[in-house]
Amino acid sequence: MVISHLTSKSADNLTFFTANKQSPWYLVAFGMIGASLSGVTFISVPGEVGNTAFSYFQVVLGYLVGYFVIAAVLLPLYYRLNLISIYTYLEQRFGTRSYKTGAFFFLLSRIVGSAFRLFLVAGVLQIAIFDAFKWPFSITVAVTIALIWLYTFRGGIKTIVWTDTLQTLFMISAVVISIYLMKDGLDMSWTSLSEKVSNSGYSKIFVWDWQSGKNFFKQFVSGAFIAIVMTGLDQDMMQKNLTCRTLKDAQKNMFWFCIVLVIVNFLFLSMGALLYVYAEQMQITLPQKSDDLYPMLALQHFPAVAGVVFLLGIVAAAYSSADSALTALTTSFCVDFLGLGKEEKPISKKLRIRVHLGFSVILFAVILIFKAINDDSVITAVFTAAGYTYGPILGLFTFGLITKYSLKDKYVPIVCLLSPVLSYIININSEAWLNGYKFGFEILVVNGLLTFIGLFLLKEKNENYKAL
């Protein structure tokens, strides 16, 4: 709230969307770590080490290629066109239907994704804190979202650049302190601790079995495309980059962001290995779900300070992804669907606040729907389905960037609806159809390719083509 007060001074309506393009690149770079590592990552990545060791790091290595493409190709495009919403590019390149389709898929995936992440974190907070006060789950969620709305409704993205920095600091501190407390509890030196993890079998990174979903090449290529789509083609993540003063600053931010992200992910994986080593040494029964390991140890077996640190870390992780998502949803809807920000339609502060409040209510409702479903497999399936919506965005931008064709714009929504459905059918039948082959994250690439093929069938010669 203090940061919000300080960053909202003399803020005009445009500050909410662009921070007046005055954000220091190093703050954006550090703060984006927290936004990219949600509460799901905070809990799931360490827990998953017990099932797949360090194989997730193969995806992280692929991120480096993706971030290079963002810095070299996408950021120059966005800065040259002076975009507020990155999906405006699709309107200039193809037409209104393509533009609205890309923006719609972003809104859908972000609403479901953000609600899913907040739902998981609110569940942890409910058990750890609010059950003791006999607060209903709905109040916990309402307070969580209300706090986000209160500190972002004036400063918007300008406030978030600074709060994300604070939240990232808390998140990384939680991991470092947890590792230190486990070292202390096991009474080991740093050298013997690293040797213990190295010899435990949890630190295996590379998988070469071609049929495995964790195969290195699948994971590496998937990581590159995940970075391009979920950072470079995502309004949430790109809106922060576009607040930097210049393109050079934004590229510098992207370079340092990917370096720090690799280090932080390795820290998460190392902590995950240590959690299992600690549980084995202390003869603690592992929970049925790997996601429950870190919360269980932090809240029930570590010293009290570790429980406090864990809760600070998970709250920071949840808020850093949710607050920027709420602002990005507001920005996309105002610019992409209401047409605000154009010369003939200046941005109305009153309307922007209503949209911001409306998306807060929508997130609240979706989280309560997840609670009412009360079925982990169904909720996870909904979250996974939301991930399929990034494929059409990938296909649209790729087609626009590497071809000179225009499109039969009115048919684009049909292609973009069919591609995720076909990708899902291919994914669930891949073992039977492809001689035991299992798709991992690379199903995103298949989804984007199907979209690209569909768009190619809709191509028209563009006599007046001019590279944007």
Side-chain angles (χ1 to χ4, degrees), residues 118 121-127 129-131 134-147 319 364:
L118 273 176
V121 174
V124 172
L125 293 175
Q126 185 72 28
I127 294 167
I129 299 175
F130 297 114
D131 276 346
K134 295 184 168 38
W135 282 23
F137 182 75
S138 57
I139 297 296
T140 302
V141 175
V143 169
T144 300
I145 294 176
L147 286 172
Y319 274 61
F364 174 74

PDB file of all heavy atoms in Angstrom, residues 118 121-127 129-131 134-147 319 364:
ATOM      1  N   LEU A 118      -4.490 -18.475  -7.992  1.00  0.00           N
ATOM      2  CA  LEU A 118      -4.989 -17.878  -6.753  1.00  0.00           C
ATOM      3  C   LEU A 118      -5.790 -18.876  -5.927  1.00  0.00           C
ATOM      4  O   LEU A 118      -5.753 -18.847  -4.694  1.00  0.00           O
ATOM      5  CB  LEU A 118      -5.859 -16.660  -7.078  1.00  0.00           C
ATOM      6  CG  LEU A 118      -5.133 -15.325  -7.234  1.00  0.00           C
ATOM      7  CD1 LEU A 118      -6.107 -14.237  -7.651  1.00  0.00           C
ATOM      8  CD2 LEU A 118      -4.427 -14.926  -5.955  1.00  0.00           C
ATOM      9  N   VAL A 121      -3.303 -21.040  -3.955  1.00  0.00           N
ATOM     10  CA  VAL A 121      -2.662 -20.288  -2.871  1.00  0.00           C
ATOM     11  C   VAL A 121      -3.669 -19.940  -1.777  1.00  0.00           C
ATOM     12  O   VAL A 121      -3.358 -20.031  -0.585  1.00  0.00           O
ATOM     13  CB  VAL A 121      -2.004 -19.012  -3.427  1.00  0.00           C
ATOM     14  CG1 VAL A 121      -1.461 -18.151  -2.301  1.00  0.00           C
ATOM     15  CG2 VAL A 121      -0.886 -19.390  -4.374  1.00  0.00           C
ATOM     16  N   ALA A 122      -4.878 -19.566  -2.171  1.00  0.00           N
ATOM     17  CA  ALA A 122      -5.920 -19.261  -1.178  1.00  0.00           C
ATOM     18  C   ALA A 122      -6.220 -20.493  -0.331  1.00  0.00           C
ATOM     19  O   ALA A 122      -6.484 -20.382   0.878  1.00  0.00           O
ATOM     20  CB  ALA A 122      -7.187 -18.775  -1.871  1.00  0.00           C
ATOM     21  N   GLY A 123      -6.146 -21.679  -0.948  1.00  0.00           N
ATOM     22  CA  GLY A 123      -6.354 -22.933  -0.205  1.00  0.00           C
ATOM     23  C   GLY A 123      -5.292 -23.143   0.861  1.00  0.00           C
ATOM     24  O   GLY A 123      -5.597 -23.535   1.997  1.00  0.00           O
ATOM     25  N   VAL A 124      -4.039 -22.849   0.512  1.00  0.00           N
ATOM     26  CA  VAL A 124      -2.943 -22.976   1.488  1.00  0.00           C
ATOM     27  C   VAL A 124      -3.123 -21.967   2.627  1.00  0.00           C
ATOM     28  O   VAL A 124      -2.985 -22.297   3.811  1.00  0.00           O
ATOM     29  CB  VAL A 124      -1.568 -22.763   0.802  1.00  0.00           C
ATOM     30  CG1 VAL A 124      -0.447 -22.705   1.827  1.00  0.00           C
ATOM     31  CG2 VAL A 124      -1.297 -23.874  -0.200  1.00  0.00           C
ATOM     32  N   LEU A 125      -3.451 -20.711   2.280  1.00  0.00           N
ATOM     33  CA  LEU A 125      -3.653 -19.675   3.296  1.00  0.00           C
ATOM     34  C   LEU A 125      -4.844 -20.005   4.200  1.00  0.00           C
ATOM     35  O   LEU A 125      -4.814 -19.739   5.404  1.00  0.00           O
ATOM     36  CB  LEU A 125      -3.875 -18.322   2.627  1.00  0.00           C
ATOM     37  CG  LEU A 125      -2.684 -17.722   1.878  1.00  0.00           C
ATOM     38  CD1 LEU A 125      -3.096 -16.433   1.175  1.00  0.00           C
ATOM     39  CD2 LEU A 125      -1.529 -17.453   2.823  1.00  0.00           C
ATOM     40  N   GLN A 126      -5.866 -20.604   3.603  1.00  0.00           N
ATOM     41  CA  GLN A 126      -7.048 -20.976   4.376  1.00  0.00           C
ATOM     42  C   GLN A 126      -6.680 -21.981   5.463  1.00  0.00           C
ATOM     43  O   GLN A 126      -7.052 -21.829   6.633  1.00  0.00           O
ATOM     44  CB  GLN A 126      -8.106 -21.579   3.438  1.00  0.00           C
ATOM     45  CG  GLN A 126      -9.433 -21.901   4.109  1.00  0.00           C
ATOM     46  CD  GLN A 126     -10.231 -20.660   4.464  1.00  0.00           C
ATOM     47  OE1 GLN A 126     -10.102 -19.641   3.807  1.00  0.00           O
ATOM     48  NE2 GLN A 126     -11.044 -20.734   5.504  1.00  0.00           N
ATOM     49  N   ILE A 127      -5.915 -23.012   5.061  1.00  0.00           N
ATOM     50  CA  ILE A 127      -5.524 -24.057   6.015  1.00  0.00           C
ATOM     51  C   ILE A 127      -4.528 -23.516   7.042  1.00  0.00           C
ATOM     52  O   ILE A 127      -4.628 -23.796   8.239  1.00  0.00           O
ATOM     53  CB  ILE A 127      -4.905 -25.261   5.259  1.00  0.00           C
ATOM     54  CG1 ILE A 127      -5.976 -25.933   4.394  1.00  0.00           C
ATOM     55  CG2 ILE A 127      -4.295 -26.264   6.229  1.00  0.00           C
ATOM     56  CD1 ILE A 127      -5.412 -26.916   3.389  1.00  0.00           C
ATOM     57  N   ILE A 129      -3.861 -20.319   7.994  1.00  0.00           N
ATOM     58  CA  ILE A 129      -4.196 -19.147   8.822  1.00  0.00           C
ATOM     59  C   ILE A 129      -5.692 -19.019   9.105  1.00  0.00           C
ATOM     60  O   ILE A 129      -6.128 -19.026  10.254  1.00  0.00           O
ATOM     61  CB  ILE A 129      -3.708 -17.842   8.136  1.00  0.00           C
ATOM     62  CG1 ILE A 129      -2.182 -17.879   7.951  1.00  0.00           C
ATOM     63  CG2 ILE A 129      -4.102 -16.618   8.967  1.00  0.00           C
ATOM     64  CD1 ILE A 129      -1.635 -16.701   7.176  1.00  0.00           C
ATOM     65  N   PHE A 130      -6.492 -18.935   8.048  1.00  0.00           N
ATOM     66  CA  PHE A 130      -7.850 -18.429   8.212  1.00  0.00           C
ATOM     67  C   PHE A 130      -8.845 -19.437   8.787  1.00  0.00           C
ATOM     68  O   PHE A 130      -9.875 -19.034   9.316  1.00  0.00           O
ATOM     69  CB  PHE A 130      -8.353 -17.848   6.888  1.00  0.00           C
ATOM     70  CG  PHE A 130      -7.533 -16.669   6.428  1.00  0.00           C
ATOM     71  CD1 PHE A 130      -6.764 -16.734   5.282  1.00  0.00           C
ATOM     72  CD2 PHE A 130      -7.529 -15.499   7.170  1.00  0.00           C
ATOM     73  CE1 PHE A 130      -6.001 -15.655   4.880  1.00  0.00           C
ATOM     74  CE2 PHE A 130      -6.764 -14.410   6.768  1.00  0.00           C
ATOM     75  CZ  PHE A 130      -5.993 -14.489   5.625  1.00  0.00           C
ATOM     76  N   ASP A 131      -8.543 -20.733   8.693  1.00  0.00           N
ATOM     77  CA  ASP A 131      -9.416 -21.721   9.354  1.00  0.00           C
ATOM     78  C   ASP A 131      -9.439 -21.503  10.855  1.00  0.00           C
ATOM     79  O   ASP A 131     -10.457 -21.745  11.523  1.00  0.00           O
ATOM     80  CB  ASP A 131      -8.941 -23.148   9.036  1.00  0.00           C
ATOM     81  CG  ASP A 131      -9.488 -23.651   7.706  1.00  0.00           C
ATOM     82  OD1 ASP A 131     -10.425 -23.016   7.183  1.00  0.00           O
ATOM     83  OD2 ASP A 131      -8.979 -24.665   7.191  1.00  0.00           O
ATOM     84  N   LYS A 134     -11.959 -19.210  11.660  1.00  0.00           N
ATOM     85  CA  LYS A 134     -13.265 -19.658  11.167  1.00  0.00           C
ATOM     86  C   LYS A 134     -13.809 -18.758  10.048  1.00  0.00           C
ATOM     87  O   LYS A 134     -15.008 -18.545   9.911  1.00  0.00           O
ATOM     88  CB  LYS A 134     -14.277 -19.782  12.310  1.00  0.00           C
ATOM     89  CG  LYS A 134     -13.901 -20.853  13.318  1.00  0.00           C
ATOM     90  CD  LYS A 134     -14.964 -21.018  14.386  1.00  0.00           C
ATOM     91  CE  LYS A 134     -14.766 -22.264  15.233  1.00  0.00           C
ATOM     92  NZ  LYS A 134     -13.406 -22.620  15.564  1.00  0.00           N
ATOM     93  N   TRP A 135     -12.891 -18.215   9.229  1.00  0.00           N
ATOM     94  CA  TRP A 135     -13.287 -17.451   8.052  1.00  0.00           C
ATOM     95  C   TRP A 135     -13.687 -18.401   6.942  1.00  0.00           C
ATOM     96  O   TRP A 135     -12.971 -19.368   6.675  1.00  0.00           O
ATOM     97  CB  TRP A 135     -12.123 -16.612   7.553  1.00  0.00           C
ATOM     98  CG  TRP A 135     -11.853 -15.371   8.324  1.00  0.00           C
ATOM     99  CD1 TRP A 135     -12.195 -15.099   9.611  1.00  0.00           C
ATOM    100  CD2 TRP A 135     -11.152 -14.224   7.838  1.00  0.00           C
ATOM    101  NE1 TRP A 135     -11.756 -13.871   9.984  1.00  0.00           N
ATOM    102  CE2 TRP A 135     -11.110 -13.295   8.918  1.00  0.00           C
ATOM    103  CE3 TRP A 135     -10.568 -13.875   6.641  1.00  0.00           C
ATOM    104  CZ2 TRP A 135     -10.502 -12.053   8.807  1.00  0.00           C
ATOM    105  CZ3 TRP A 135      -9.956 -12.633   6.521  1.00  0.00           C
ATOM    106  CH2 TRP A 135      -9.932 -11.732   7.591  1.00  0.00           C
ATOM    107  N   PRO A 136     -14.803 -18.169   6.267  1.00  0.00           N
ATOM    108  CA  PRO A 136     -15.125 -18.995   5.102  1.00  0.00           C
ATOM    109  C   PRO A 136     -14.151 -18.731   3.964  1.00  0.00           C
ATOM    110  O   PRO A 136     -13.552 -17.648   3.874  1.00  0.00           O
ATOM    111  CB  PRO A 136     -16.546 -18.578   4.731  1.00  0.00           C
ATOM    112  CG  PRO A 136     -16.727 -17.223   5.328  1.00  0.00           C
ATOM    113  CD  PRO A 136     -15.862 -17.172   6.551  1.00  0.00           C
ATOM    114  N   PHE A 137     -14.001 -19.707   3.075  1.00  0.00           N
ATOM    115  CA  PHE A 137     -13.064 -19.601   1.957  1.00  0.00           C
ATOM    116  C   PHE A 137     -13.380 -18.399   1.082  1.00  0.00           C
ATOM    117  O   PHE A 137     -12.472 -17.723   0.585  1.00  0.00           O
ATOM    118  CB  PHE A 137     -13.126 -20.886   1.128  1.00  0.00           C
ATOM    119  CG  PHE A 137     -12.171 -20.919  -0.035  1.00  0.00           C
ATOM    120  CD1 PHE A 137     -10.812 -21.132   0.164  1.00  0.00           C
ATOM    121  CD2 PHE A 137     -12.634 -20.734  -1.337  1.00  0.00           C
ATOM    122  CE1 PHE A 137      -9.932 -21.163  -0.913  1.00  0.00           C
ATOM    123  CE2 PHE A 137     -11.763 -20.766  -2.420  1.00  0.00           C
ATOM    124  CZ  PHE A 137     -10.409 -20.987  -2.199  1.00  0.00           C
ATOM    125  N   SER A 138     -14.664 -18.099   0.914  1.00  0.00           N
ATOM    126  CA  SER A 138     -15.066 -16.982   0.046  1.00  0.00           C
ATOM    127  C   SER A 138     -14.532 -15.648   0.577  1.00  0.00           C
ATOM    128  O   SER A 138     -14.149 -14.764  -0.204  1.00  0.00           O
ATOM    129  CB  SER A 138     -16.588 -16.917  -0.083  1.00  0.00           C
ATOM    130  OG  SER A 138     -17.194 -16.794   1.189  1.00  0.00           O
ATOM    131  N   ILE A 139     -14.477 -15.491   1.899  1.00  0.00           N
ATOM    132  CA  ILE A 139     -13.960 -14.255   2.495  1.00  0.00           C
ATOM    133  C   ILE A 139     -12.454 -14.155   2.259  1.00  0.00           C
ATOM    134  O   ILE A 139     -11.929 -13.077   1.931  1.00  0.00           O
ATOM    135  CB  ILE A 139     -14.263 -14.199   4.007  1.00  0.00           C
ATOM    136  CG1 ILE A 139     -15.775 -14.186   4.249  1.00  0.00           C
ATOM    137  CG2 ILE A 139     -13.606 -12.971   4.642  1.00  0.00           C
ATOM    138  CD1 ILE A 139     -16.487 -12.964   3.703  1.00  0.00           C
ATOM    139  N   THR A 140     -11.752 -15.287   2.389  1.00  0.00           N
ATOM    140  CA  THR A 140     -10.310 -15.310   2.138  1.00  0.00           C
ATOM    141  C   THR A 140     -10.008 -14.846   0.716  1.00  0.00           C
ATOM    142  O   THR A 140      -9.116 -14.018   0.488  1.00  0.00           O
ATOM    143  CB  THR A 140      -9.747 -16.737   2.332  1.00  0.00           C
ATOM    144  OG1 THR A 140     -10.040 -17.173   3.664  1.00  0.00           O
ATOM    145  CG2 THR A 140      -8.249 -16.783   2.097  1.00  0.00           C
ATOM    146  N   VAL A 141     -10.769 -15.367  -0.243  1.00  0.00           N
ATOM    147  CA  VAL A 141     -10.567 -15.006  -1.655  1.00  0.00           C
ATOM    148  C   VAL A 141     -10.931 -13.546  -1.888  1.00  0.00           C
ATOM    149  O   VAL A 141     -10.207 -12.813  -2.577  1.00  0.00           O
ATOM    150  CB  VAL A 141     -11.411 -15.923  -2.568  1.00  0.00           C
ATOM    151  CG1 VAL A 141     -11.305 -15.472  -4.020  1.00  0.00           C
ATOM    152  CG2 VAL A 141     -10.970 -17.369  -2.434  1.00  0.00           C
ATOM    153  N   ALA A 142     -12.050 -13.106  -1.313  1.00  0.00           N
ATOM    154  CA  ALA A 142     -12.504 -11.726  -1.500  1.00  0.00           C
ATOM    155  C   ALA A 142     -11.472 -10.740  -0.965  1.00  0.00           C
ATOM    156  O   ALA A 142     -11.161  -9.731  -1.617  1.00  0.00           O
ATOM    157  CB  ALA A 142     -13.852 -11.512  -0.807  1.00  0.00           C
ATOM    158  N   VAL A 143     -10.920 -11.017   0.213  1.00  0.00           N
ATOM    159  CA  VAL A 143      -9.914 -10.131   0.804  1.00  0.00           C
ATOM    160  C   VAL A 143      -8.660 -10.108  -0.063  1.00  0.00           C
ATOM    161  O   VAL A 143      -8.078  -9.041  -0.317  1.00  0.00           O
ATOM    162  CB  VAL A 143      -9.573 -10.583   2.243  1.00  0.00           C
ATOM    163  CG1 VAL A 143      -8.345  -9.850   2.760  1.00  0.00           C
ATOM    164  CG2 VAL A 143     -10.754 -10.327   3.167  1.00  0.00           C
ATOM    165  N   THR A 144      -8.253 -11.285  -0.544  1.00  0.00           N
ATOM    166  CA  THR A 144      -7.055 -11.383  -1.390  1.00  0.00           C
ATOM    167  C   THR A 144      -7.196 -10.527  -2.643  1.00  0.00           C
ATOM    168  O   THR A 144      -6.305  -9.738  -2.973  1.00  0.00           O
ATOM    169  CB  THR A 144      -6.812 -12.851  -1.791  1.00  0.00           C
ATOM    170  OG1 THR A 144      -6.633 -13.641  -0.608  1.00  0.00           O
ATOM    171  CG2 THR A 144      -5.576 -12.996  -2.661  1.00  0.00           C
ATOM    172  N   ILE A 145      -8.309 -10.671  -3.341  1.00  0.00           N
ATOM    173  CA  ILE A 145      -8.514  -9.922  -4.583  1.00  0.00           C
ATOM    174  C   ILE A 145      -8.741  -8.436  -4.308  1.00  0.00           C
ATOM    175  O   ILE A 145      -8.244  -7.573  -5.051  1.00  0.00           O
ATOM    176  CB  ILE A 145      -9.696 -10.517  -5.377  1.00  0.00           C
ATOM    177  CG1 ILE A 145      -9.340 -11.940  -5.849  1.00  0.00           C
ATOM    178  CG2 ILE A 145     -10.048  -9.641  -6.578  1.00  0.00           C
ATOM    179  CD1 ILE A 145     -10.453 -12.659  -6.554  1.00  0.00           C
ATOM    180  N   ALA A 146      -9.438  -8.119  -3.209  1.00  0.00           N
ATOM    181  CA  ALA A 146      -9.692  -6.716  -2.857  1.00  0.00           C
ATOM    182  C   ALA A 146      -8.382  -5.981  -2.590  1.00  0.00           C
ATOM    183  O   ALA A 146      -8.214  -4.824  -3.000  1.00  0.00           O
ATOM    184  CB  ALA A 146     -10.599  -6.635  -1.631  1.00  0.00           C
ATOM    185  N   LEU A 147      -7.443  -6.650  -1.921  1.00  0.00           N
ATOM    186  CA  LEU A 147      -6.143  -6.022  -1.646  1.00  0.00           C
ATOM    187  C   LEU A 147      -5.405  -5.721  -2.944  1.00  0.00           C
ATOM    188  O   LEU A 147      -4.806  -4.658  -3.102  1.00  0.00           O
ATOM    189  CB  LEU A 147      -5.300  -6.931  -0.750  1.00  0.00           C
ATOM    190  CG  LEU A 147      -5.724  -6.999   0.721  1.00  0.00           C
ATOM    191  CD1 LEU A 147      -4.930  -8.073   1.453  1.00  0.00           C
ATOM    192  CD2 LEU A 147      -5.534  -5.650   1.406  1.00  0.00           C
ATOM    193  N   TYR A 319       0.620 -13.030  -5.361  1.00  0.00           N
ATOM    194  CA  TYR A 319       0.288 -11.643  -5.665  1.00  0.00           C
ATOM    195  C   TYR A 319       1.061 -11.125  -6.870  1.00  0.00           C
ATOM    196  O   TYR A 319       0.540 -10.340  -7.659  1.00  0.00           O
ATOM    197  CB  TYR A 319       0.550 -10.759  -4.443  1.00  0.00           C
ATOM    198  CG  TYR A 319      -0.606 -10.715  -3.480  1.00  0.00           C
ATOM    199  CD1 TYR A 319      -1.066 -11.872  -2.857  1.00  0.00           C
ATOM    200  CD2 TYR A 319      -1.263  -9.526  -3.200  1.00  0.00           C
ATOM    201  CE1 TYR A 319      -2.132 -11.852  -1.974  1.00  0.00           C
ATOM    202  CE2 TYR A 319      -2.334  -9.481  -2.319  1.00  0.00           C
ATOM    203  CZ  TYR A 319      -2.763 -10.653  -1.705  1.00  0.00           C
ATOM    204  OH  TYR A 319      -3.833 -10.623  -0.852  1.00  0.00           O
ATOM    205  N   PHE A 364     -12.884 -13.611  -8.840  1.00  0.00           N
ATOM    206  CA  PHE A 364     -13.505 -14.092  -7.604  1.00  0.00           C
ATOM    207  C   PHE A 364     -14.514 -15.204  -7.914  1.00  0.00           C
ATOM    208  O   PHE A 364     -14.512 -16.262  -7.270  1.00  0.00           O
ATOM    209  CB  PHE A 364     -14.195 -12.923  -6.900  1.00  0.00           C
ATOM    210  CG  PHE A 364     -14.988 -13.310  -5.678  1.00  0.00           C
ATOM    211  CD1 PHE A 364     -14.347 -13.651  -4.496  1.00  0.00           C
ATOM    212  CD2 PHE A 364     -16.380 -13.330  -5.718  1.00  0.00           C
ATOM    213  CE1 PHE A 364     -15.074 -13.997  -3.366  1.00  0.00           C
ATOM    214  CE2 PHE A 364     -17.120 -13.675  -4.598  1.00  0.00           C
ATOM    215  CZ  PHE A 364     -16.468 -14.016  -3.413  1.00  0.00           C
TER     216      PHE A 364
END
